[in-house]
Each structure stands twice: as structure tokens, then as C-alpha cells.
């Protein structure tokens, strides 16, 4: 698996659509390091990977039910849907993949000001050598074959733990 890019929208403390994070891919420069001050969102980025790939979070990730950015929810009108998503682009063998997971909340007047709209949904598309994009229904199976969940901690890890 070669990571190409990651983009977030209203995911945790990332309000709105984030810039695309493009990962190192050159032969000589093939490591990407995320560095920042406490509270800058490093752990949220780590959990964006685990959430989009497996629907899971790392130990110590507080308020796992609060995926959608609080500011985006506060700015929404009553009855409006607010969506958070994470999109990961990667390559494996001769295929290119786009994996997106979305979660939606409905803005309410009751505490805490929102209610979850169903379960989070994953979408996976892939393109082979012919360049034609195909949709994949068995998202978990495909991801599990490329990078099994029990191996992900060797590739995505929390430096504080």
C-alpha cells in the first residue's frame, strides 16, 4: 500500500474542507512525518486513518461518537444535516483506490444540539491499468486484504503512546 493523499471535511477539530495532505512518494524521500504542538490535530489525523480504513479509533481517543466538527454543527440551522468525511487515496499493486467514509448528524435544538443520522458509510472506488473507475461493495474485505487491521499499528502509530 502506497499512501497518496488524505483530506478531511468537518472531522473532529478540522472545520470545513482541509487542504489535501500529499504524502511523500519519491524513492529518495518516502517518509511523511506529522509534527505539531499539543492540540494541533495529530491524533485526530491518526484517527482519521483508522476510522476511514476500519471504522475504529486508537486507545485514548476521547468522545469517539463526536466525529462531526462542533463549529460546523453550531453554525447549521435547525433540521439541517452536517456531514463529516475522510478521504484517503492510495495505491496497491497496479490499482489506485479512493476510500471515503462519511458520518452525518442532524442539527437539533435539544442537548447536545445534534443527533446522529444513521451509521457511518464507506465508499471505495478503484481503477486498474485501463484507468476505468469501479465501485466496490465489499469495502472491509478489500481493505482487510491490503492492510489487515491487526497490522495497522505498525504503520500508523501514536508517538505519545
Amino acid at each position: 500500500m502506497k499512501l497518496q493523499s488524505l483530506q478531511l471535511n468537518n472531522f473532529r477539530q478540522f472545520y470545513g474542507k482541509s487542504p489535501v495532505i500529499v504524502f511523500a512518494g519519491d524513492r529518495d524521500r518516502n517518509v511523511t512525518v506529522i509534527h505539531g504542538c499539543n492540540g494541533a490535530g495529530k491524533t485526530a489525523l491518526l484517527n482519521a486513518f483508522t476510522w476511514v480504513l476500519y471504522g475504529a479509533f486508537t486507545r485514548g481517543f476521547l468522545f469517539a461518537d463526536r466525529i462531526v466538527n462542533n463549529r460546523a454543527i453550531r453554525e447549521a440551522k435547525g433540521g439541517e444535516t452536517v456531514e463529516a468525511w475522510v478521504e484517503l487515496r492510495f495505491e496497491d499493486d497496479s490499482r489506485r483506490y479512493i476510500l471515503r467514509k462519511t458520518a452525518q448528524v442532524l442539527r437539533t435544538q435539544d442537548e447536545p444540539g445534534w443527533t446522529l443520522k444513521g451509521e457511518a458509510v464507506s465508499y471505495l472506488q478503484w481503477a486498474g491499468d485501463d484507468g476505468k473507475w469501479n465501485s466496490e461493495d465489499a469495502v472491509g474485505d478489500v481493505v482487510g486484504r491490503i492492510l489487515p487491521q491487526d497490522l495497522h499499528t505498525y504503520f500508523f502509530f501514536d508517538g505519545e503512546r
Side-chain angles (χ1 to χ4, degrees), residues 4 10 15 53 59 79 93 101 111 115 129 140:
Q4 294 176 315
N10 290 329
Y15 171 72
L53 289 167
R59 280 185 317 121
D93 288 332
K101 187 177 213 77
E111 282 298 317
T115 185
D129 292 334

Side-chain angles (χ1 to χ4, degrees), residues 3-27:
L3 299 176
Q4 294 176 315
S5 66
L6 180 74
Q7 188 172 29
L8 315 172
N9 182 63
N10 290 329
F11 182 80
R12 298 289 288 203
Q13 66 259 53
F14 293 94
Y15 171 72
K17 195 181 291 187
S18 74
V20 176
I21 300 168
V22 179
F23 299 106
D26 295 341
R27 289 182 74 102

